[in-house]
Coordinates of all heavy atoms in Angstrom, one line a residue:
M733 N -21.8 -36.9 1.2 CA -20.6 -36.4 0.6 C -19.4 -37.3 1.0 O -19.3 -37.7 2.2 CB -20.3 -35.0 1.1 CG -21.0 -34.0 0.3 SD -20.3 -32.4 0.8 CE -20.9 -31.4 -0.5
S734 N -18.5 -37.4 0.1 CA -17.3 -38.2 0.5 C -16.3 -37.3 1.1 O -16.4 -36.0 1.0 CB -16.8 -38.9 -0.8 OG -16.2 -37.9 -1.7
Q735 N -15.3 -37.9 1.7 CA -14.2 -37.1 2.3 C -13.4 -36.3 1.3 O -13.0 -35.2 1.6 CB -13.2 -38.1 3.0 CG -12.2 -37.4 3.9 CD -12.7 -36.7 5.1 OE1 -13.8 -36.9 5.5 NE2 -11.9 -35.8 5.6
A736 N -13.3 -36.8 0.1 CA -12.5 -36.0 -0.9 C -13.3 -34.7 -1.3 O -12.6 -33.8 -1.7 CB -12.3 -36.9 -2.2
Q737 N -14.6 -34.7 -1.3 CA -15.3 -33.5 -1.7 C -15.3 -32.5 -0.5 O -15.4 -31.3 -0.8 CB -16.8 -33.9 -2.0 CG -16.9 -34.6 -3.3 CD -18.3 -35.1 -3.6 OE1 -19.1 -35.2 -2.7 NE2 -18.6 -35.4 -4.8
V738 N -15.3 -33.0 0.7 CA -15.3 -32.1 1.8 C -14.0 -31.3 2.0 O -14.0 -30.1 2.3 CB -15.6 -32.8 3.1 CG1 -15.5 -32.0 4.4 CG2 -17.0 -33.5 3.0
Q739 N -12.9 -31.9 1.7 CA -11.6 -31.2 1.9 C -11.4 -30.0 1.0 O -11.0 -29.0 1.5 CB -10.4 -32.2 1.6 CG -10.3 -33.3 2.7 CD -9.9 -32.7 4.0 OE1 -9.7 -31.5 4.2 NE2 -9.7 -33.6 5.0
P740 N -11.7 -30.0 -0.3 CA -11.6 -28.8 -1.1 C -12.6 -27.7 -0.6 O -12.2 -26.5 -0.7 CB -12.0 -29.3 -2.5 CG -11.7 -30.7 -2.5 CD -12.0 -31.2 -1.2
D741 N -13.8 -28.1 -0.1 CA -14.7 -27.1 0.4 C -14.1 -26.4 1.6 O -14.2 -25.2 1.7 CB -16.0 -27.7 0.7 CG -16.8 -28.2 -0.5 OD1 -16.5 -27.7 -1.6 OD2 -17.6 -29.1 -0.4
K742 N -13.5 -27.1 2.5 CA -12.9 -26.6 3.7 C -11.7 -25.7 3.3 O -11.5 -24.6 3.8 CB -12.4 -27.6 4.6 CG -13.5 -28.4 5.3 CD -13.0 -29.4 6.3 CE -14.1 -30.1 7.0 NZ -13.5 -31.1 8.0
R743 N -10.9 -26.1 2.3 CA -9.8 -25.3 1.9 C -10.2 -24.0 1.3 O -9.7 -22.9 1.5 CB -8.9 -26.1 0.9 CG -8.1 -27.2 1.5 CD -7.3 -27.8 0.4 NE -6.8 -29.1 0.9 CZ -6.7 -30.2 0.1 NH1 -7.0 -30.1 -1.1 NH2 -6.3 -31.3 0.7
D744 N -11.3 -24.1 0.5 CA -11.8 -22.8 -0.1 C -12.4 -21.9 0.9 O -12.2 -20.7 0.8 CB -12.9 -23.2 -1.2 CG -12.3 -23.8 -2.4 OD1 -11.1 -23.7 -2.7 OD2 -13.1 -24.5 -3.1
A745 N -13.1 -22.5 1.9 CA -13.6 -21.6 3.0 C -12.5 -20.9 3.8 O -12.6 -19.7 4.1 CB -14.5 -22.5 3.9
V746 N -11.5 -21.6 4.0 CA -10.3 -21.0 4.8 C -9.7 -20.0 3.9 O -9.3 -18.9 4.4 CB -9.3 -22.1 5.2 CG1 -8.0 -21.5 5.7 CG2 -10.0 -23.0 6.3
R747 N -9.5 -20.3 2.6 CA -8.8 -19.3 1.7 C -9.7 -18.0 1.6 O -9.1 -16.9 1.6 CB -8.7 -20.0 0.3 CG -7.8 -19.2 -0.6 CD -7.5 -19.9 -1.9 NE -6.8 -21.1 -1.6 CZ -7.2 -22.3 -2.1 NH1 -8.3 -22.5 -2.8 NH2 -6.5 -23.4 -1.8
R748 N -11.0 -18.2 1.5 CA -11.9 -17.0 1.5 C -11.8 -16.2 2.8 O -11.9 -15.0 2.7 CB -13.3 -17.4 1.1 CG -13.5 -17.8 -0.3 CD -15.0 -17.9 -0.6 NE -15.7 -18.8 0.3 CZ -15.9 -20.1 0.1 NH1 -15.5 -20.6 -0.9 NH2 -16.6 -20.8 1.0
A749 N -11.8 -16.9 3.9 CA -11.8 -16.2 5.2 C -10.5 -15.4 5.4 O -10.5 -14.4 6.0 CB -11.9 -17.2 6.3
L750 N -9.4 -15.9 4.9 CA -8.1 -15.3 5.0 C -7.7 -14.3 3.9 O -6.6 -13.8 3.9 CB -7.0 -16.3 5.2 CG -7.1 -17.2 6.4 CD1 -6.0 -18.3 6.4 CD2 -7.1 -16.4 7.7
S751 N -8.6 -14.1 3.0 CA -8.4 -13.3 1.8 C -8.3 -11.8 2.3 O -8.8 -11.4 3.3 CB -9.6 -13.4 0.9 OG -9.5 -12.4 -0.1
L752 N -7.5 -11.0 1.5 CA -7.4 -9.6 1.8 C -8.7 -8.8 1.6 O -8.9 -7.8 2.2 CB -6.4 -9.0 0.9 CG -4.9 -9.0 1.4 CD1 -4.0 -8.3 0.3 CD2 -4.8 -8.3 2.7
R753 N -9.7 -9.4 0.9 CA -11.0 -8.7 0.8 C -11.6 -8.6 2.1 O -12.4 -7.7 2.4 CB -11.9 -9.6 -0.1 CG -11.7 -9.4 -1.6 CD -12.8 -10.0 -2.3 NE -12.4 -10.2 -3.7 CZ -12.9 -11.0 -4.5 NH1 -13.9 -11.8 -4.1 NH2 -12.5 -11.1 -5.7
N754 N -11.4 -9.5 3.0 CA -12.0 -9.5 4.3 C -11.1 -8.7 5.3 O -11.5 -8.6 6.5 CB -12.2 -10.9 4.9 CG -13.2 -11.7 4.0 OD1 -14.1 -11.1 3.4 ND2 -13.0 -13.0 3.9
G755 N -10.0 -8.3 4.9 CA -9.1 -7.6 5.8 C -9.5 -6.1 6.1 O -10.3 -5.5 5.3
A756 N -9.0 -5.6 7.1 CA -9.3 -4.2 7.4 C -8.5 -3.3 6.5 O -7.5 -3.8 5.9 CB -8.9 -3.9 8.9
Q757 N -8.8 -2.1 6.3 CA -8.1 -1.2 5.4 C -6.6 -1.0 5.8 O -5.8 -1.0 4.9 CB -8.8 0.2 5.3 CG -8.3 1.1 4.2 CD -8.4 0.5 2.8 OE1 -9.5 0.0 2.5 NE2 -7.4 0.5 2.0
W758 N -6.3 -1.0 7.0 CA -4.9 -0.8 7.4 C -4.1 -2.1 7.1 O -2.9 -2.0 6.8 CB -4.8 -0.5 8.9 CG -5.2 -1.6 9.9 CD1 -6.5 -1.8 10.4 CD2 -4.4 -2.6 10.4 NE1 -6.4 -2.9 11.2 CE2 -5.2 -3.4 11.2 CE3 -3.0 -2.9 10.2 CZ2 -4.7 -4.5 11.9 CZ3 -2.6 -4.0 10.9 CH2 -3.4 -4.8 11.7
E759 N -4.8 -3.2 7.1 CA -4.1 -4.5 6.7 C -3.8 -4.5 5.2 O -2.7 -4.9 4.8 CB -4.9 -5.7 7.1 CG -5.0 -5.9 8.6 CD -6.0 -7.0 9.0 OE1 -7.0 -7.2 8.3 OE2 -5.7 -7.7 9.9
I760 N -4.7 -4.0 4.5 CA -4.6 -3.9 3.0 C -3.5 -2.9 2.7 O -2.6 -3.2 1.8 CB -5.9 -3.6 2.3 CG1 -6.9 -4.7 2.5 CG2 -5.7 -3.3 0.8 CD1 -8.3 -4.3 2.1
N761 N -3.5 -1.8 3.3 CA -2.4 -0.8 3.1 C -1.1 -1.3 3.5 O -0.1 -1.1 2.8 CB -2.7 0.5 3.9 CG -4.0 1.2 3.4 OD1 -4.4 1.0 2.3 ND2 -4.5 2.1 4.2
Q762 N -1.0 -2.0 4.6 CA 0.3 -2.6 5.1 C 0.8 -3.6 4.1 O 2.0 -3.7 3.8 CB 0.1 -3.2 6.5 CG 1.3 -3.8 7.1 CD 1.1 -4.4 8.4 OE1 0.0 -4.8 8.7 NE2 2.1 -4.5 9.2
Y763 N -0.1 -4.5 3.6 CA 0.3 -5.5 2.6 C 0.8 -4.8 1.3 O 1.8 -5.2 0.7 CB -0.9 -6.4 2.2 CG -0.6 -7.4 1.1 CD1 0.1 -8.5 1.4 CD2 -1.1 -7.1 -0.2 CE1 0.4 -9.4 0.4 CE2 -0.8 -8.0 -1.2 CZ -0.1 -9.2 -0.9 OH 0.2 -10.1 -1.9
N764 N 0.1 -3.8 0.8 CA 0.5 -3.0 -0.4 C 1.9 -2.4 -0.2 O 2.7 -2.4 -1.1 CB -0.5 -2.0 -0.8 CG -1.8 -2.6 -1.3 OD1 -1.7 -3.8 -1.8 ND2 -2.9 -1.9 -1.3
R765 N 2.1 -1.8 1.0 CA 3.4 -1.2 1.3 C 4.5 -2.2 1.3 O 5.6 -2.0 0.8 CB 3.3 -0.5 2.7 CG 4.4 0.4 3.0 CD 4.3 1.1 4.3 NE 3.0 1.6 4.6 CZ 2.3 1.1 5.7 NH1 2.8 0.3 6.5 NH2 1.0 1.6 5.9
Q766 N 4.2 -3.4 1.9 CA 5.3 -4.4 2.0 C 5.6 -4.9 0.5 O 6.7 -5.2 0.2 CB 4.8 -5.6 2.8 CG 4.8 -5.3 4.3 CD 4.1 -6.4 5.1 OE1 3.5 -7.3 4.5 NE2 4.2 -6.3 6.4
Q767 N 4.6 -5.0 -0.3 CA 4.8 -5.4 -1.7 C 5.7 -4.4 -2.4 O 6.5 -4.8 -3.2 CB 3.5 -5.7 -2.4 CG 2.7 -6.8 -1.9 CD 3.5 -8.1 -2.0 OE1 4.0 -8.4 -3.1 NE2 3.5 -8.9 -1.0
A768 N 5.4 -3.1 -2.2 CA 6.2 -2.1 -2.9 C 7.6 -2.1 -2.4 O 8.5 -1.9 -3.2 CB 5.5 -0.7 -2.6
I769 N 7.8 -2.3 -1.1 CA 9.2 -2.4 -0.5 C 9.9 -3.6 -1.1 O 11.1 -3.5 -1.6 CB 9.1 -2.4 1.0 CG1 8.7 -1.1 1.6 CG2 10.5 -2.8 1.6 CD1 8.4 -1.1 3.1
A770 N 9.2 -4.7 -1.2 CA 9.9 -5.9 -1.7 C 10.2 -5.7 -3.2 O 11.3 -6.3 -3.7 CB 8.9 -7.1 -1.6
Q771 N 9.5 -5.0 -3.9 CA 9.7 -4.8 -5.4 C 10.9 -3.9 -5.6 O 11.7 -4.1 -6.6 CB 8.5 -4.2 -6.0 CG 8.6 -4.1 -7.5 CD 7.4 -3.6 -8.2 OE1 6.4 -3.3 -7.5 NE2 7.4 -3.4 -9.5
F772 N 11.1 -2.9 -4.8 CA 12.1 -1.9 -5.1 C 13.3 -1.9 -4.1 O 14.3 -1.1 -4.4 CB 11.5 -0.5 -5.0 CG 10.6 -0.2 -6.1 CD1 9.2 -0.3 -5.9 CD2 11.0 0.2 -7.3 CE1 8.3 0.0 -7.0 CE2 10.2 0.4 -8.4 CZ 8.8 0.3 -8.2
Q773 N 13.4 -2.8 -3.2 CA 14.5 -2.8 -2.3 C 15.8 -3.3 -3.0 O 15.7 -4.2 -3.9 CB 14.2 -3.6 -1.0 CG 14.0 -5.0 -1.2 CD 13.5 -5.7 0.1 OE1 13.5 -6.9 0.1 NE2 13.3 -5.0 1.2
R774 N 16.9 -2.8 -2.6 CA 18.2 -3.2 -3.2 C 18.7 -4.4 -2.6 O 19.4 -5.2 -3.2 CB 19.2 -2.0 -3.1 CG 18.8 -0.8 -3.8 CD 19.9 0.3 -3.6 NE 19.5 1.5 -4.3 CZ 20.3 2.6 -4.2 NH1 21.3 2.6 -3.4 NH2 19.9 3.7 -4.8
F775 N 18.5 -4.6 -1.3 CA 19.0 -5.8 -0.6 C 18.0 -6.1 0.5 O 17.0 -5.3 0.7 CB 20.4 -5.5 0.0 CG 20.5 -4.3 0.8 CD1 20.2 -4.3 2.2 CD2 20.9 -3.1 0.2 CE1 20.2 -3.1 2.9 CE2 21.0 -1.9 1.0 CZ 20.6 -1.9 2.3
E776 N 18.1 -7.2 1.1 CA 17.2 -7.6 2.2 C 17.1 -6.6 3.3 O 18.1 -6.1 3.7 CB 17.6 -9.0 2.7 CG 16.5 -9.6 3.6 CD 16.9 -11.0 4.0 OE1 17.9 -11.6 3.5 OE2 16.2 -11.5 4.9
N777 N 15.9 -6.3 3.8 CA 15.7 -5.4 4.9 C 16.0 -3.9 4.5 O 16.3 -3.1 5.3 CB 16.4 -5.7 6.1 CG 15.9 -7.1 6.7 OD1 14.8 -7.4 6.5 ND2 16.8 -7.8 7.3
D778 N 16.0 -3.6 3.2 CA 16.3 -2.2 2.7 C 15.0 -1.5 2.8 O 14.1 -1.7 2.0 CB 16.9 -2.3 1.3 CG 17.0 -0.9 0.8 OD1 17.2 0.1 1.5 OD2 17.1 -0.7 -0.5
T779 N 14.9 -0.5 3.7 CA 13.7 0.3 3.7 C 14.0 1.8 3.6 O 13.1 2.6 3.6 CB 12.9 0.1 5.1 OG1 13.8 0.4 6.2 CG2 12.4 -1.3 5.2
G780 N 15.3 2.1 3.5 CA 15.6 3.5 3.5 C 16.2 4.1 2.2 O 16.4 5.3 2.1
S781 N 16.4 3.2 1.2 CA 16.9 3.7 -0.1 C 15.9 4.6 -0.7 O 14.7 4.5 -0.5 CB 17.3 2.6 -1.0 OG 16.2 1.8 -1.4
T782 N 16.3 5.4 -1.6 CA 15.5 6.4 -2.2 C 14.3 5.8 -3.0 O 13.2 6.2 -3.0 CB 16.3 7.4 -3.1 OG1 17.4 7.9 -2.4 CG2 15.5 8.5 -3.6
E783 N 14.7 4.7 -3.7 CA 13.6 4.0 -4.5 C 12.5 3.5 -3.7 O 11.3 3.6 -4.0 CB 14.3 2.9 -5.3 CG 15.2 3.3 -6.4 CD 16.7 3.5 -5.9 OE1 16.9 3.3 -4.6 OE2 17.6 3.7 -6.7
V784 N 12.9 2.9 -2.5 CA 11.9 2.4 -1.6 C 11.1 3.5 -1.0 O 9.8 3.3 -0.9 CB 12.6 1.5 -0.5 CG1 11.6 1.1 0.6 CG2 13.2 0.3 -1.1
Q785 N 11.7 4.6 -0.6 CA 11.0 5.7 -0.1 C 10.0 6.2 -1.1 O 8.8 6.6 -0.7 CB 11.9 6.8 0.3 CG 12.7 6.5 1.6 CD 13.7 7.6 2.0 OE1 13.3 8.8 1.8 NE2 14.8 7.3 2.5
V786 N 10.3 6.3 -2.3 CA 9.4 6.8 -3.4 C 8.3 5.8 -3.5 O 7.1 6.3 -3.7 CB 10.2 7.0 -4.7 CG1 9.2 7.2 -5.8 CG2 11.1 8.2 -4.6
A787 N 8.5 4.5 -3.5 CA 7.5 3.5 -3.6 C 6.5 3.6 -2.5 O 5.3 3.6 -2.7 CB 8.1 2.1 -3.7
V788 N 7.0 3.8 -1.3 CA 6.1 3.9 -0.1 C 5.3 5.2 -0.1 O 4.1 5.2 0.2 CB 7.0 3.8 1.2 CG1 6.1 4.1 2.4 CG2 7.6 2.4 1.4
L789 N 5.9 6.3 -0.5 CA 5.2 7.5 -0.7 C 4.1 7.4 -1.7 O 3.0 8.0 -1.6 CB 6.2 8.7 -1.0 CG 7.0 9.2 0.2 CD1 8.0 10.2 -0.3 CD2 6.1 9.9 1.2
T790 N 4.4 6.7 -2.8 CA 3.4 6.5 -3.9 C 2.2 5.8 -3.3 O 1.0 6.1 -3.6 CB 4.0 5.8 -5.1 OG1 5.1 6.6 -5.5 CG2 3.0 5.6 -6.2
E791 N 2.4 4.7 -2.5 CA 1.3 4.0 -1.9 C 0.5 4.9 -1.0 O -0.7 4.8 -1.0 CB 1.9 2.8 -1.1 CG 2.3 1.6 -2.0 CD 1.2 1.1 -2.8 OE1 0.1 0.9 -2.3 OE2 1.4 0.7 -4.0
K792 N 1.2 5.7 -0.2 CA 0.5 6.6 0.7 C -0.3 7.6 -0.1 O -1.5 7.9 0.3 CB 1.4 7.3 1.6 CG 2.0 6.5 2.7 CD 2.9 7.3 3.6 CE 3.5 6.4 4.7 NZ 4.4 7.2 5.6
I793 N 0.2 8.1 -1.2 CA -0.5 9.1 -2.0 C -1.7 8.5 -2.6 O -2.8 9.1 -2.7 CB 0.5 9.7 -3.1 CG1 1.5 10.6 -2.4 CG2 -0.3 10.4 -4.2 CD1 2.6 11.1 -3.3
N794 N -1.6 7.3 -3.1 CA -2.7 6.6 -3.7 C -3.8 6.4 -2.7 O -5.0 6.6 -3.0 CB -2.3 5.2 -4.3 CG -1.4 5.4 -5.6 OD1 -1.5 6.5 -6.2 ND2 -0.7 4.4 -5.9
N795 N -3.5 6.0 -1.5 CA -4.5 5.8 -0.4 C -5.2 7.2 -0.1 O -6.4 7.2 0.0 CB -3.9 5.2 0.8 CG -3.4 3.8 0.6 OD1 -4.0 3.1 -0.2 ND2 -2.4 3.4 1.4
L796 N -4.4 8.2 0.0 CA -5.0 9.5 0.4 C -5.8 10.1 -0.8 O -6.8 10.7 -0.6 CB -3.9 10.5 0.7 CG -3.6 10.7 2.2 CD1 -2.5 11.6 2.4 CD2 -4.8 11.1 3.0
H797 N -5.4 9.8 -2.0 CA -6.1 10.2 -3.2 C -7.5 9.6 -3.2 O -8.5 10.2 -3.5 CB -5.4 9.9 -4.5 CG -6.1 10.4 -5.7 ND1 -6.3 11.7 -6.0 CD2 -6.7 9.7 -6.7 CE1 -7.0 11.8 -7.1 NE2 -7.3 10.6 -7.5
G798 N -7.6 8.3 -2.9 CA -8.9 7.6 -2.8 C -9.7 8.2 -1.7 O -10.9 8.3 -1.8
H799 N -9.1 8.6 -0.5 CA -9.8 9.2 0.5 C -10.4 10.6 0.1 O -11.5 10.9 0.4 CB -8.9 9.4 1.8 CG -9.5 10.2 2.9 ND1 -10.4 9.7 3.8 CD2 -9.3 11.5 3.2 CE1 -10.8 10.6 4.6 NE2 -10.1 11.7 4.3
M800 N -9.5 11.3 -0.7 CA -10.0 12.6 -1.1 C -11.1 12.6 -2.1 O -11.9 13.5 -2.2 CB -8.8 13.4 -1.6 CG -7.7 13.8 -0.6 SD -8.4 14.7 0.8 CE -9.0 16.2 0.0
T801 N -11.2 11.5 -2.9 CA -12.3 11.5 -3.8 C -13.6 11.3 -3.1 O -14.7 11.7 -3.6 CB -12.1 10.3 -4.8 OG1 -11.9 9.1 -4.1 CG2 -10.9 10.6 -5.7
R802 N -13.6 10.6 -1.9 CA -14.8 10.4 -1.2 C -15.1 11.6 -0.2 O -16.2 11.9 0.0 CB -14.7 9.1 -0.3 CG -14.6 7.9 -1.2 CD -14.6 6.6 -0.3 NE -13.6 6.6 0.7 CZ -12.3 6.1 0.4 NH1 -12.0 5.7 -0.8 NH2 -11.4 6.1 1.4
H803 N -14.0 12.2 0.3 CA -14.2 13.3 1.2 C -13.5 14.5 0.7 O -12.4 14.9 1.2 CB -13.6 12.9 2.6 CG -14.2 11.6 3.1 ND1 -15.4 11.5 3.7 CD2 -13.6 10.3 3.1 CE1 -15.6 10.2 4.0 NE2 -14.6 9.5 3.7
H804 N -14.0 15.2 -0.3 CA -13.3 16.3 -0.9 C -13.2 17.6 -0.1 O -12.4 18.4 -0.4 CB -14.0 16.6 -2.3 CG -15.4 17.1 -2.1 ND1 -16.5 16.2 -2.0 CD2 -16.0 18.3 -2.1 CE1 -17.6 16.9 -1.9 NE2 -17.3 18.2 -1.9
K805 N -13.9 17.6 1.0 CA -13.9 18.8 1.9 C -12.9 18.6 3.1 O -12.8 19.5 3.9 CB -15.2 19.2 2.4 CG -16.2 19.7 1.4 CD -17.5 20.2 2.0 CE -18.4 20.8 0.9 NZ -19.6 21.4 1.5
D806 N -12.2 17.5 3.1 CA -11.3 17.2 4.2 C -10.0 18.0 3.9 O -9.1 17.5 3.2 CB -11.0 15.7 4.3 CG -10.2 15.3 5.5 OD1 -9.8 16.2 6.2 OD2 -10.1 14.1 5.7
K807 N -9.9 19.2 4.4 CA -8.7 20.1 4.1 C -7.5 19.6 4.8 O -6.4 19.8 4.2 CB -9.1 21.5 4.6 CG -10.2 22.1 3.8 CD -10.1 22.1 2.3 CE -11.3 22.7 1.7 NZ -11.2 22.5 0.2
S808 N -7.5 19.0 6.0 CA -6.3 18.6 6.6 C -5.6 17.4 5.8 O -4.4 17.3 5.7 CB -6.5 18.2 8.1 OG -7.5 17.1 8.1
S809 N -6.5 16.5 5.3 CA -5.9 15.4 4.5 C -5.4 16.0 3.2 O -4.4 15.5 2.6 CB -7.0 14.4 4.2 OG -7.3 13.7 5.4
Q810 N -6.0 17.0 2.6 CA -5.6 17.6 1.4 C -4.2 18.2 1.6 O -3.3 18.1 0.8 CB -6.6 18.7 0.9 CG -6.2 19.3 -0.4 CD -7.3 20.3 -0.8 OE1 -8.2 20.7 -0.1 NE2 -7.2 20.7 -2.0
Y811 N -4.0 18.9 2.8 CA -2.7 19.5 3.1 C -1.6 18.4 3.2 O -0.5 18.5 2.7 CB -2.8 20.3 4.4 CG -1.5 20.9 4.8 CD1 -0.9 21.9 4.1 CD2 -0.9 20.4 6.0 CE1 0.3 22.4 4.6 CE2 0.3 20.9 6.4 CZ 0.9 21.9 5.7 OH 2.1 22.5 6.2
G812 N -2.0 17.3 3.9 CA -1.1 16.1 4.0 C -0.7 15.5 2.7 O 0.4 15.1 2.4
L813 N -1.7 15.4 1.8 CA -1.5 14.9 0.5 C -0.5 15.8 -0.3 O 0.4 15.3 -1.0 CB -2.8 14.8 -0.3 CG -2.7 14.3 -1.7 CD1 -2.2 12.9 -1.8 CD2 -4.1 14.3 -2.3
Q814 N -0.7 17.1 -0.2 CA 0.2 18.0 -0.9 C 1.7 17.8 -0.4 O 2.6 17.9 -1.1 CB -0.2 19.4 -0.7 CG -1.5 19.7 -1.5 CD -2.0 21.1 -1.2 OE1 -1.6 21.8 -0.3 NE2 -3.0 21.5 -2.0
K815 N 1.8 17.7 1.0 CA 3.1 17.5 1.6 C 3.8 16.2 1.1 O 5.0 16.2 0.8 CB 3.0 17.5 3.1 CG 2.8 18.9 3.7 CD 2.6 18.8 5.2 CE 3.8 18.2 5.9 NZ 3.7 18.3 7.4
L816 N 3.0 15.1 1.0 CA 3.6 13.9 0.5 C 4.0 14.0 -1.0 O 5.0 13.5 -1.4 CB 2.5 12.8 0.6 CG 2.2 12.3 2.1 CD1 1.1 11.3 2.1 CD2 3.5 11.7 2.7
M817 N 3.2 14.7 -1.8 CA 3.5 14.8 -3.2 C 4.8 15.7 -3.4 O 5.6 15.4 -4.2 CB 2.3 15.5 -3.9 CG 1.2 14.5 -4.0 SD -0.3 15.2 -4.7 CE 0.2 15.5 -6.4
I818 N 4.9 16.7 -2.6 CA 6.2 17.5 -2.6 C 7.4 16.7 -2.2 O 8.4 16.8 -2.9 CB 6.0 18.8 -1.8 CG1 5.0 19.7 -2.4 CG2 7.3 19.5 -1.6 CD1 4.5 20.8 -1.5
R819 N 7.2 15.9 -1.2 CA 8.4 15.1 -0.7 C 8.7 14.1 -1.8 O 9.9 13.8 -2.1 CB 8.0 14.4 0.6 CG 9.2 13.7 1.2 CD 9.0 13.0 2.5 NE 7.9 13.4 3.2 CZ 7.4 12.6 4.2 NH1 7.9 11.4 4.5 NH2 6.3 13.0 4.9
R820 N 7.7 13.4 -2.4 CA 8.0 12.5 -3.5 C 8.7 13.1 -4.7 O 9.6 12.6 -5.3 CB 6.7 11.8 -3.9 CG 7.0 10.7 -5.0 CD 5.8 10.0 -5.4 NE 4.9 10.9 -6.1 CZ 3.8 10.5 -6.7 NH1 3.4 9.2 -6.7 NH2 3.0 11.3 -7.3
R821 N 8.2 14.3 -5.1 CA 8.8 15.1 -6.2 C 10.3 15.4 -5.9 O 11.1 15.2 -6.8 CB 8.0 16.4 -6.4 CG 8.5 17.1 -7.7 CD 7.7 18.3 -8.0 NE 6.4 18.4 -7.5 CZ 6.0 19.5 -6.7 NH1 6.9 20.5 -6.4 NH2 4.8 19.5 -6.2
R822 N 10.6 15.8 -4.7 CA 12.0 16.1 -4.4 C 12.8 14.8 -4.4 O 14.0 14.8 -4.9 CB 12.1 16.7 -3.0 CG 11.6 18.1 -2.9 CD 11.7 18.7 -1.5 NE 11.2 20.0 -1.5 CZ 10.8 20.6 -0.4 NH1 10.8 20.0 0.8 NH2 10.3 21.8 -0.4
L823 N 12.3 13.7 -4.0 CA 13.1 12.4 -4.0 C 13.3 12.0 -5.5 O 14.3 11.5 -5.9 CB 12.4 11.3 -3.2 CG 12.5 11.4 -1.7 CD1 11.6 10.4 -1.1 CD2 13.9 11.3 -1.2
L824 N 12.3 12.2 -6.3 CA 12.4 11.8 -7.7 C 13.4 12.7 -8.4 O 14.2 12.3 -9.3 CB 11.0 11.9 -8.4 CG 10.1 10.8 -8.1 CD1 8.7 11.1 -8.7 CD2 10.6 9.5 -8.6
Q825 N 13.5 14.0 -8.0 CA 14.5 14.9 -8.6 C 15.9 14.5 -8.2 O 16.8 14.5 -9.0 CB 14.2 16.4 -8.1 CG 13.1 17.0 -8.8 CD 12.8 18.4 -8.2 OE1 13.3 18.8 -7.2 NE2 11.9 19.1 -8.9
Y826 N 16.0 14.0 -6.9 CA 17.3 13.5 -6.5 C 17.7 12.3 -7.2 O 18.9 12.1 -7.6 CB 17.2 13.2 -5.0 CG 18.4 12.5 -4.4 CD1 19.6 13.2 -4.2 CD2 18.4 11.1 -4.2 CE1 20.7 12.6 -3.7 CE2 19.5 10.5 -3.7 CZ 20.6 11.2 -3.4 OH 21.7 10.6 -2.9
L827 N 16.7 11.4 -7.5 CA 17.1 10.2 -8.3 C 17.5 10.5 -9.7 O 18.3 9.8 -10.3 CB 15.8 9.2 -8.3 CG 15.7 8.3 -7.2 CD1 14.4 7.5 -7.3 CD2 16.8 7.4 -7.0
S828 N 16.9 11.5 -10.3 CA 17.2 11.8 -11.7 C 18.6 12.5 -11.9 O 19.1 12.6 -13.0 CB 16.1 12.8 -12.3 OG 16.2 14.0 -11.7
K829 N 19.2 12.9 -10.8 CA 20.5 13.5 -10.9 C 21.6 12.5 -11.2 O 21.5 11.4 -10.9 CB 20.9 14.3 -9.6 CG 20.1 15.5 -9.4 CD 20.5 16.2 -8.2 CE 19.6 17.5 -8.0 NZ 20.0 18.2 -6.8

């Protein structure tokens, strides 16, 4: 093999190793949360505006919903999911005013 063929193979191997597919679930959740914050923030380092809070809550709700589909008898997570949904609904009502 020539040097030119080895370099792309190494790059692909490193890219696959650092992919989110190989990440832990908390890393994937953290990445998704950061992407939601970046999409809805009004200015740099904005994590407290209502739009950002709704986006973060939506990510948490989606994660818990996936957990609840696998573990439907987990009542404490179901209660937490309901609390998050209520909090998001209130923030959305505030935004609609």
